[in-house]
Amino acid sequence: MAVHTPADYLELARAENDSSVLHRLARCPYPFVWQALAANPYTAPDTLLELSTAQDSAWNNNRLLRLLAEHPRADYTVLRAVRDAVAAKLAEGERPYAAVLALAGRRELATEEVRQLGALRGASARLRSRLDRHLGLRT
Protein backbone atom coordinates (compact mmCIF):
# COMPACT_ATOMS: atom_id res chain seq x y z
CA MET A 1 0.00 0.00 0.00
CA ALA A 2 1.37 3.39 -0.98
CA VAL A 3 1.33 5.93 1.81
CA HIS A 4 0.73 9.43 0.48
CA THR A 5 -1.74 11.13 2.80
CA PRO A 6 -2.47 11.22 6.53
CA ALA A 7 -5.53 9.07 5.81
CA ASP A 8 -3.24 6.43 4.26
CA TYR A 9 -1.11 6.40 7.42
CA LEU A 10 -4.22 6.05 9.55
CA GLU A 11 -5.62 3.17 7.51
CA LEU A 12 -2.28 1.35 7.62
CA ALA A 13 -1.99 1.87 11.39
CA ARG A 14 -5.47 0.42 11.87
CA ALA A 15 -5.23 -2.55 9.50
CA GLU A 16 -1.58 -3.65 9.47
CA ASN A 17 -0.44 -6.72 11.41
CA ASP A 18 3.29 -6.63 10.56
CA SER A 19 5.06 -5.35 13.68
CA SER A 20 7.99 -3.88 11.71
CA VAL A 21 5.61 -1.75 9.60
CA LEU A 22 3.74 -0.69 12.73
CA HIS A 23 7.01 0.28 14.39
CA ARG A 24 7.96 2.50 11.45
CA LEU A 25 4.53 4.16 11.61
CA ALA A 26 5.17 5.18 15.23
CA ARG A 27 7.62 7.76 13.91
CA CYS A 28 5.05 9.59 11.77
CA PRO A 29 4.00 13.03 13.03
CA TYR A 30 0.27 12.39 13.38
CA PRO A 31 -1.21 11.83 16.86
CA PHE A 32 -4.28 10.09 15.38
CA VAL A 33 -1.91 7.51 13.86
CA TRP A 34 -0.20 7.00 17.25
CA GLN A 35 -3.64 6.40 18.76
CA ALA A 36 -4.54 3.92 16.00
CA LEU A 37 -1.27 2.08 16.67
CA ALA A 38 -2.05 2.02 20.40
CA ALA A 39 -5.45 0.49 19.59
CA ASN A 40 -4.05 -2.07 17.11
CA PRO A 41 -3.70 -5.43 18.90
CA TYR A 42 -0.72 -6.35 16.69
CA THR A 43 1.43 -3.44 17.85
CA ALA A 44 4.47 -4.88 19.64
CA PRO A 45 5.60 -3.83 23.14
CA ASP A 46 8.72 -2.05 21.84
CA THR A 47 6.53 0.17 19.66
CA LEU A 48 4.12 0.78 22.53
CA LEU A 49 7.08 1.82 24.67
CA GLU A 50 8.20 4.29 22.01
CA LEU A 51 4.69 5.73 21.83
CA SER A 52 4.64 6.31 25.60
CA THR A 53 6.89 9.34 25.08
CA ALA A 54 4.95 10.85 22.14
CA GLN A 55 3.76 14.40 22.74
CA ASP A 56 1.06 16.49 21.12
CA SER A 57 -1.85 18.25 22.86
CA ALA A 58 -3.10 17.44 26.36
CA TRP A 59 -6.21 15.73 24.98
CA ASN A 60 -4.25 13.61 22.47
CA ASN A 61 -1.57 12.75 25.03
CA ASN A 62 -4.12 11.63 27.60
CA ARG A 63 -6.05 9.53 25.09
CA LEU A 64 -2.84 7.90 23.87
CA LEU A 65 -1.79 7.06 27.44
CA ARG A 66 -5.20 5.47 28.12
CA LEU A 67 -4.98 3.38 24.95
CA LEU A 68 -1.46 2.25 25.86
CA ALA A 69 -2.57 1.34 29.39
CA GLU A 70 -5.39 -0.77 27.93
CA HIS A 71 -3.33 -2.47 25.22
CA PRO A 72 -3.36 -6.29 25.52
CA ARG A 73 0.34 -6.58 24.62
CA ALA A 74 1.52 -3.88 27.03
CA ASP A 75 4.02 -5.60 29.32
CA TYR A 76 5.42 -4.39 32.64
CA THR A 77 8.02 -2.17 30.95
CA VAL A 78 5.39 -0.45 28.81
CA LEU A 79 2.96 -0.09 31.70
CA ARG A 80 5.67 1.34 33.94
CA ALA A 81 6.56 3.90 31.24
CA VAL A 82 2.89 4.81 30.89
CA ARG A 83 2.60 5.09 34.68
CA ASP A 84 5.62 7.42 34.75
CA ALA A 85 4.20 9.54 31.90
CA VAL A 86 0.84 9.75 33.69
CA ALA A 87 2.59 10.78 36.91
CA ALA A 88 4.40 13.57 35.04
CA LYS A 89 1.13 14.77 33.49
CA LEU A 90 -0.59 14.82 36.90
CA ALA A 91 2.33 16.76 38.40
CA GLU A 92 1.99 19.30 35.56
CA GLY A 93 -1.70 19.77 36.37
CA GLU A 94 -3.10 17.75 33.47
CA ARG A 95 -5.86 15.23 34.05
CA PRO A 96 -5.03 11.84 32.48
CA TYR A 97 -7.68 10.26 34.71
CA ALA A 98 -8.83 7.60 32.22
CA ALA A 99 -5.24 6.38 31.92
CA VAL A 100 -4.92 6.23 35.72
CA LEU A 101 -8.05 4.09 35.97
CA ALA A 102 -6.91 1.88 33.09
CA LEU A 103 -3.60 1.31 34.89
CA ALA A 104 -5.53 0.37 38.03
CA GLY A 105 -6.98 -2.55 36.12
CA ARG A 106 -3.59 -3.89 35.09
CA ARG A 107 -2.33 -6.55 37.48
CA GLU A 108 1.16 -6.35 35.97
CA LEU A 109 1.66 -3.23 38.11
CA ALA A 110 1.71 -3.49 41.88
CA THR A 111 -1.26 -1.88 43.62
CA GLU A 112 1.01 0.61 45.37
CA GLU A 113 2.65 1.66 42.09
CA VAL A 114 -0.75 2.77 40.84
CA ARG A 115 -2.14 4.04 44.15
CA GLN A 116 0.71 6.60 44.34
CA LEU A 117 -0.80 8.39 41.33
CA GLY A 118 -3.71 9.47 43.53
CA ALA A 119 -1.34 11.39 45.80
CA LEU A 120 0.01 13.63 43.04
CA ARG A 121 -0.92 17.30 42.70
CA GLY A 122 -3.25 16.87 39.73
CA ALA A 123 -5.32 14.07 41.26
CA SER A 124 -8.80 15.13 42.31
CA ALA A 125 -10.76 13.71 45.24
CA ARG A 126 -13.07 12.03 42.74
CA LEU A 127 -10.13 10.38 40.97
CA ARG A 128 -8.73 9.12 44.29
CA SER A 129 -12.13 7.65 45.17
CA ARG A 130 -12.50 5.93 41.79
CA LEU A 131 -8.89 4.76 41.93
CA ASP A 132 -9.46 3.15 45.34
CA ARG A 133 -12.60 1.47 43.98
CA HIS A 134 -10.80 0.14 40.89
CA LEU A 135 -7.85 -1.11 42.94
CA GLY A 136 -10.28 -2.76 45.35
CA LEU A 137 -11.68 -4.81 42.48
CA ARG A 138 -8.29 -6.48 42.03
CA THR A 139 -8.70 -8.72 45.08
Side-chain angles (χ1 to χ4, degrees), residues 29-60:
Y30 308 114
F32 53 87
V33 172
W34 304 336
Q35 292 169 14
L37 290 170
N40 184 327
Y42 296 103
T43 304
D46 61 327
T47 305
L48 299 172
L49 184 61
E50 186 171 321
L51 289 170
S52 72
T53 61
Q55 296 290 314
D56 186 61
S57 66
W59 190 90
N60 282 328

mmCIF file of all heavy atoms in Angstrom, residues 29-60:
data_model
loop_
_atom_site.group_PDB
_atom_site.id
_atom_site.type_symbol
_atom_site.label_atom_id
_atom_site.label_comp_id
_atom_site.label_asym_id
_atom_site.label_seq_id
_atom_site.Cartn_x
_atom_site.Cartn_y
_atom_site.Cartn_z
ATOM 1 N N PRO A 29 4.301 11.869 12.176
ATOM 2 C CA PRO A 29 4.000 13.027 13.031
ATOM 3 C C PRO A 29 2.539 13.193 13.440
ATOM 4 O O PRO A 29 2.188 14.210 14.038
ATOM 5 C CB PRO A 29 4.434 14.207 12.152
ATOM 6 C CG PRO A 29 4.168 13.740 10.757
ATOM 7 C CD PRO A 29 4.499 12.266 10.774
ATOM 8 N N TYR A 30 1.699 12.216 13.159
ATOM 9 C CA TYR A 30 0.265 12.391 13.381
ATOM 10 C C TYR A 30 -0.221 11.695 14.654
ATOM 11 O O TYR A 30 -0.163 10.466 14.749
ATOM 12 C CB TYR A 30 -0.525 11.868 12.180
ATOM 13 C CG TYR A 30 -0.066 12.439 10.871
ATOM 14 C CD1 TYR A 30 0.523 11.634 9.909
ATOM 15 C CD2 TYR A 30 -0.205 13.800 10.607
ATOM 16 C CE1 TYR A 30 0.951 12.161 8.695
ATOM 17 C CE2 TYR A 30 0.223 14.339 9.407
ATOM 18 C CZ TYR A 30 0.800 13.519 8.454
ATOM 19 O OH TYR A 30 1.229 14.042 7.264
ATOM 20 N N PRO A 31 -0.743 12.456 15.612
ATOM 21 C CA PRO A 31 -1.212 11.831 16.856
ATOM 22 C C PRO A 31 -2.365 10.845 16.652
ATOM 23 O O PRO A 31 -2.484 9.878 17.401
ATOM 24 C CB PRO A 31 -1.635 13.008 17.740
ATOM 25 C CG PRO A 31 -1.726 14.186 16.846
ATOM 26 C CD PRO A 31 -0.877 13.910 15.641
ATOM 27 N N PHE A 32 -3.196 11.044 15.637
ATOM 28 C CA PHE A 32 -4.279 10.094 15.384
ATOM 29 C C PHE A 32 -3.721 8.759 14.901
ATOM 30 O O PHE A 32 -4.324 7.710 15.138
ATOM 31 C CB PHE A 32 -5.323 10.659 14.417
ATOM 32 C CG PHE A 32 -4.767 11.169 13.114
ATOM 33 C CD1 PHE A 32 -4.579 10.319 12.041
ATOM 34 C CD2 PHE A 32 -4.445 12.510 12.978
ATOM 35 C CE1 PHE A 32 -4.070 10.793 10.843
ATOM 36 C CE2 PHE A 32 -3.939 12.993 11.771
ATOM 37 C CZ PHE A 32 -3.741 12.132 10.703
ATOM 38 N N VAL A 33 -2.555 8.765 14.270
ATOM 39 C CA VAL A 33 -1.908 7.514 13.860
ATOM 40 C C VAL A 33 -1.327 6.824 15.091
ATOM 41 O O VAL A 33 -1.440 5.604 15.233
ATOM 42 C CB VAL A 33 -0.834 7.768 12.783
ATOM 43 C CG1 VAL A 33 -0.033 6.505 12.489
ATOM 44 C CG2 VAL A 33 -1.482 8.301 11.505
ATOM 45 N N TRP A 34 -0.726 7.589 16.000
ATOM 46 C CA TRP A 34 -0.202 7.001 17.245
ATOM 47 C C TRP A 34 -1.342 6.316 18.003
ATOM 48 O O TRP A 34 -1.170 5.219 18.530
ATOM 49 C CB TRP A 34 0.416 8.059 18.147
ATOM 50 C CG TRP A 34 1.496 8.888 17.548
ATOM 51 C CD1 TRP A 34 2.314 8.580 16.494
ATOM 52 C CD2 TRP A 34 1.874 10.195 17.968
ATOM 53 N NE1 TRP A 34 3.179 9.617 16.242
ATOM 54 C CE2 TRP A 34 2.937 10.621 17.130
ATOM 55 C CE3 TRP A 34 1.428 11.053 18.971
ATOM 56 C CZ2 TRP A 34 3.553 11.853 17.271
ATOM 57 C CZ3 TRP A 34 2.040 12.285 19.112
ATOM 58 C CH2 TRP A 34 3.096 12.677 18.273
ATOM 59 N N GLN A 35 -2.496 6.971 18.048
ATOM 60 C CA GLN A 35 -3.641 6.395 18.759
ATOM 61 C C GLN A 35 -4.138 5.130 18.064
ATOM 62 O O GLN A 35 -4.493 4.153 18.739
ATOM 63 C CB GLN A 35 -4.752 7.438 18.890
ATOM 64 C CG GLN A 35 -4.371 8.572 19.805
ATOM 65 C CD GLN A 35 -5.319 9.742 19.748
ATOM 66 O OE1 GLN A 35 -6.414 9.637 19.225
ATOM 67 N NE2 GLN A 35 -4.892 10.878 20.278
ATOM 68 N N ALA A 36 -4.139 5.131 16.741
ATOM 69 C CA ALA A 36 -4.536 3.923 16.003
ATOM 70 C C ALA A 36 -3.557 2.781 16.268
ATOM 71 O O ALA A 36 -3.960 1.629 16.433
ATOM 72 C CB ALA A 36 -4.629 4.221 14.506
ATOM 73 N N LEU A 37 -2.273 3.100 16.344
ATOM 74 C CA LEU A 37 -1.273 2.080 16.671
ATOM 75 C C LEU A 37 -1.498 1.540 18.083
ATOM 76 O O LEU A 37 -1.377 0.335 18.325
ATOM 77 C CB LEU A 37 0.134 2.659 16.563
ATOM 78 C CG LEU A 37 0.626 2.974 15.161
ATOM 79 C CD1 LEU A 37 1.922 3.763 15.227
ATOM 80 C CD2 LEU A 37 0.803 1.699 14.351
ATOM 81 N N ALA A 38 -1.827 2.436 19.017
ATOM 82 C CA ALA A 38 -2.054 2.019 20.399
ATOM 83 C C ALA A 38 -3.322 1.192 20.540
ATOM 84 O O ALA A 38 -3.474 0.459 21.523
ATOM 85 C CB ALA A 38 -2.111 3.243 21.312
ATOM 86 N N ALA A 39 -4.219 1.285 19.569
ATOM 87 C CA ALA A 39 -5.446 0.485 19.586
ATOM 88 C C ALA A 39 -5.306 -0.800 18.770
ATOM 89 O O ALA A 39 -6.134 -1.701 18.895
ATOM 90 C CB ALA A 39 -6.610 1.315 19.045
ATOM 91 N N ASN A 40 -4.257 -0.897 17.960
ATOM 92 C CA ASN A 40 -4.054 -2.067 17.113
ATOM 93 C C ASN A 40 -3.477 -3.208 17.958
ATOM 94 O O ASN A 40 -2.392 -3.075 18.521
ATOM 95 C CB ASN A 40 -3.095 -1.706 15.967
ATOM 96 C CG ASN A 40 -2.895 -2.837 14.984
ATOM 97 O OD1 ASN A 40 -2.915 -4.006 15.341
ATOM 98 N ND2 ASN A 40 -2.678 -2.479 13.727
ATOM 99 N N PRO A 41 -4.176 -4.327 18.049
ATOM 100 C CA PRO A 41 -3.700 -5.431 18.905
ATOM 101 C C PRO A 41 -2.393 -6.065 18.440
ATOM 102 O O PRO A 41 -1.760 -6.797 19.194
ATOM 103 C CB PRO A 41 -4.849 -6.442 18.862
ATOM 104 C CG PRO A 41 -5.602 -6.127 17.628
ATOM 105 C CD PRO A 41 -5.431 -4.653 17.378
ATOM 106 N N TYR A 42 -1.964 -5.780 17.204
ATOM 107 C CA TYR A 42 -0.722 -6.346 16.686
ATOM 108 C C TYR A 42 0.503 -5.490 16.992
ATOM 109 O O TYR A 42 1.624 -5.901 16.710
ATOM 110 C CB TYR A 42 -0.829 -6.563 15.172
ATOM 111 C CG TYR A 42 -1.872 -7.579 14.805
ATOM 112 C CD1 TYR A 42 -3.102 -7.175 14.308
ATOM 113 C CD2 TYR A 42 -1.641 -8.940 14.991
ATOM 114 C CE1 TYR A 42 -4.081 -8.109 13.988
ATOM 115 C CE2 TYR A 42 -2.614 -9.872 14.674
ATOM 116 C CZ TYR A 42 -3.818 -9.454 14.179
ATOM 117 O OH TYR A 42 -4.783 -10.381 13.868
ATOM 118 N N THR A 43 0.302 -4.309 17.547
ATOM 119 C CA THR A 43 1.434 -3.443 17.854
ATOM 120 C C THR A 43 2.263 -4.077 18.964
ATOM 121 O O THR A 43 1.737 -4.449 20.015
ATOM 122 C CB THR A 43 0.955 -2.036 18.253
ATOM 123 O OG1 THR A 43 0.149 -1.519 17.189
ATOM 124 C CG2 THR A 43 2.123 -1.102 18.496
ATOM 125 N N ALA A 44 3.558 -4.199 18.718
ATOM 126 C CA ALA A 44 4.472 -4.880 19.644
ATOM 127 C C ALA A 44 4.830 -3.984 20.835
ATOM 128 O O ALA A 44 4.783 -2.752 20.740
ATOM 129 C CB ALA A 44 5.735 -5.286 18.907
ATOM 130 N N PRO A 45 5.230 -4.606 21.941
ATOM 131 C CA PRO A 45 5.599 -3.835 23.137
ATOM 132 C C PRO A 45 6.679 -2.779 22.905
ATOM 133 O O PRO A 45 6.588 -1.689 23.473
ATOM 134 C CB PRO A 45 6.067 -4.909 24.124
ATOM 135 C CG PRO A 45 5.297 -6.129 23.727
ATOM 136 C CD PRO A 45 5.208 -6.050 22.226
ATOM 137 N N ASP A 46 7.678 -3.053 22.059
ATOM 138 C CA ASP A 46 8.722 -2.048 21.836
ATOM 139 C C ASP A 46 8.163 -0.797 21.162
ATOM 140 O O ASP A 46 8.576 0.324 21.461
ATOM 141 C CB ASP A 46 9.909 -2.623 21.055
ATOM 142 C CG ASP A 46 9.541 -3.125 19.673
ATOM 143 O OD1 ASP A 46 8.418 -3.624 19.480
ATOM 144 O OD2 ASP A 46 10.402 -3.025 18.771
ATOM 145 N N THR A 47 7.185 -0.977 20.296
ATOM 146 C CA THR A 47 6.533 0.165 19.658
ATOM 147 C C THR A 47 5.653 0.903 20.662
ATOM 148 O O THR A 47 5.636 2.140 20.693
ATOM 149 C CB THR A 47 5.705 -0.281 18.443
ATOM 150 O OG1 THR A 47 6.559 -1.010 17.553
ATOM 151 C CG2 THR A 47 5.082 0.896 17.717
ATOM 152 N N LEU A 48 4.945 0.161 21.489
ATOM 153 C CA LEU A 48 4.122 0.784 22.532
ATOM 154 C C LEU A 48 4.994 1.619 23.465
ATOM 155 O O LEU A 48 4.617 2.732 23.854
ATOM 156 C CB LEU A 48 3.363 -0.281 23.326
ATOM 157 C CG LEU A 48 2.377 -1.152 22.540
ATOM 158 C CD1 LEU A 48 1.847 -2.274 23.420
ATOM 159 C CD2 LEU A 48 1.259 -0.313 21.957
ATOM 160 N N LEU A 49 6.159 1.087 23.799
ATOM 161 C CA LEU A 49 7.084 1.816 24.667
ATOM 162 C C LEU A 49 7.515 3.123 24.011
ATOM 163 O O LEU A 49 7.547 4.176 24.659
ATOM 164 C CB LEU A 49 8.296 0.946 24.992
ATOM 165 C CG LEU A 49 9.305 1.525 25.969
ATOM 166 C CD1 LEU A 49 8.659 1.784 27.327
ATOM 167 C CD2 LEU A 49 10.483 0.571 26.123
ATOM 168 N N GLU A 50 7.825 3.077 22.731
ATOM 169 C CA GLU A 50 8.200 4.291 22.005
ATOM 170 C C GLU A 50 7.053 5.310 22.009
ATOM 171 O O GLU A 50 7.267 6.501 22.181
ATOM 172 C CB GLU A 50 8.592 3.926 20.571
ATOM 173 C CG GLU A 50 9.144 5.098 19.792
ATOM 174 C CD GLU A 50 9.718 4.675 18.448
ATOM 175 O OE1 GLU A 50 10.354 3.611 18.363
ATOM 176 O OE2 GLU A 50 9.509 5.429 17.490
ATOM 177 N N LEU A 51 5.842 4.832 21.843
ATOM 178 C CA LEU A 51 4.687 5.728 21.830
ATOM 179 C C LEU A 51 4.427 6.383 23.189
ATOM 180 O O LEU A 51 3.822 7.444 23.255
ATOM 181 C CB LEU A 51 3.434 4.966 21.383
ATOM 182 C CG LEU A 51 3.384 4.563 19.917
ATOM 183 C CD1 LEU A 51 2.221 3.623 19.669
ATOM 184 C CD2 LEU A 51 3.300 5.787 19.021
ATOM 185 N N SER A 52 4.895 5.768 24.259
ATOM 186 C CA SER A 52 4.638 6.310 25.603
ATOM 187 C C SER A 52 5.294 7.669 25.823
ATOM 188 O O SER A 52 4.927 8.387 26.753
ATOM 189 C CB SER A 52 5.078 5.328 26.692
ATOM 190 O OG SER A 52 6.491 5.269 26.778
ATOM 191 N N THR A 53 6.225 8.044 24.948
ATOM 192 C CA THR A 53 6.889 9.340 25.078
ATOM 193 C C THR A 53 6.406 10.346 24.032
ATOM 194 O O THR A 53 6.893 11.471 23.996
ATOM 195 C CB THR A 53 8.417 9.193 24.971
ATOM 196 O OG1 THR A 53 8.733 8.659 23.675
ATOM 197 C CG2 THR A 53 8.967 8.284 26.063
ATOM 198 N N ALA A 54 5.463 9.945 23.185
ATOM 199 C CA ALA A 54 4.952 10.852 22.140
ATOM 200 C C ALA A 54 4.207 12.013 22.785
ATOM 201 O O ALA A 54 3.512 11.843 23.784
ATOM 202 C CB ALA A 54 4.035 10.080 21.195
ATOM 203 N N GLN A 55 4.377 13.183 22.202
ATOM 204 C CA GLN A 55 3.760 14.396 22.744
ATOM 205 C C GLN A 55 3.023 15.165 21.666
ATOM 206 O O GLN A 55 3.555 15.381 20.584
ATOM 207 C CB GLN A 55 4.840 15.311 23.349
ATOM 208 C CG GLN A 55 5.562 14.729 24.529
ATOM 209 C CD GLN A 55 4.673 14.641 25.751
ATOM 210 O OE1 GLN A 55 3.978 15.581 26.081
ATOM 211 N NE2 GLN A 55 4.693 13.507 26.410
ATOM 212 N N ASP A 56 1.825 15.616 21.996
ATOM 213 C CA ASP A 56 1.061 16.486 21.117
ATOM 214 C C ASP A 56 0.289 17.449 22.007
ATOM 215 O O ASP A 56 0.882 18.188 22.764
ATOM 216 C CB ASP A 56 0.130 15.662 20.206
ATOM 217 C CG ASP A 56 -0.578 16.512 19.178
ATOM 218 O OD1 ASP A 56 0.116 17.134 18.354
ATOM 219 O OD2 ASP A 56 -1.816 16.601 19.216
ATOM 220 N N SER A 57 -1.020 17.413 21.988
ATOM 221 C CA SER A 57 -1.848 18.253 22.860
ATOM 222 C C SER A 57 -2.228 17.448 24.104
ATOM 223 O O SER A 57 -2.122 16.224 24.121
ATOM 224 C CB SER A 57 -3.111 18.688 22.135
ATOM 225 O OG SER A 57 -3.936 17.552 21.882
ATOM 226 N N ALA A 58 -2.707 18.134 25.129
ATOM 227 C CA ALA A 58 -3.099 17.437 26.360
ATOM 228 C C ALA A 58 -4.143 16.362 26.062
ATOM 229 O O ALA A 58 -4.043 15.231 26.538
ATOM 230 C CB ALA A 58 -3.629 18.434 27.391
ATOM 231 N N TRP A 59 -5.145 16.692 25.265
ATOM 232 C CA TRP A 59 -6.205 15.729 24.975
ATOM 233 C C TRP A 59 -5.636 14.505 24.265
ATOM 234 O O TRP A 59 -5.922 13.371 24.637
ATOM 235 C CB TRP A 59 -7.298 16.377 24.120
ATOM 236 C CG TRP A 59 -8.511 15.516 23.992
ATOM 237 C CD1 TRP A 59 -9.592 15.509 24.807
ATOM 238 C CD2 TRP A 59 -8.759 14.506 22.996
ATOM 239 N NE1 TRP A 59 -10.498 14.559 24.386
ATOM 240 C CE2 TRP A 59 -10.008 13.937 23.270
ATOM 241 C CE3 TRP A 59 -8.034 14.043 21.908
ATOM 242 C CZ2 TRP A 59 -10.558 12.919 22.498
ATOM 243 C CZ3 TRP A 59 -8.577 13.020 21.137
ATOM 244 C CH2 TRP A 59 -9.835 12.478 21.439
ATOM 245 N N ASN A 60 -4.834 14.732 23.211
ATOM 246 C CA ASN A 60 -4.252 13.609 22.466
ATOM 247 C C ASN A 60 -3.302 12.794 23.332
ATOM 248 O O ASN A 60 -3.293 11.561 23.258
ATOM 249 C CB ASN A 60 -3.531 14.109 21.212
ATOM 250 C CG ASN A 60 -4.485 14.437 20.088
ATOM 251 O OD1 ASN A 60 -5.530 13.820 19.938
ATOM 252 N ND2 ASN A 60 -4.130 15.425 19.297
#
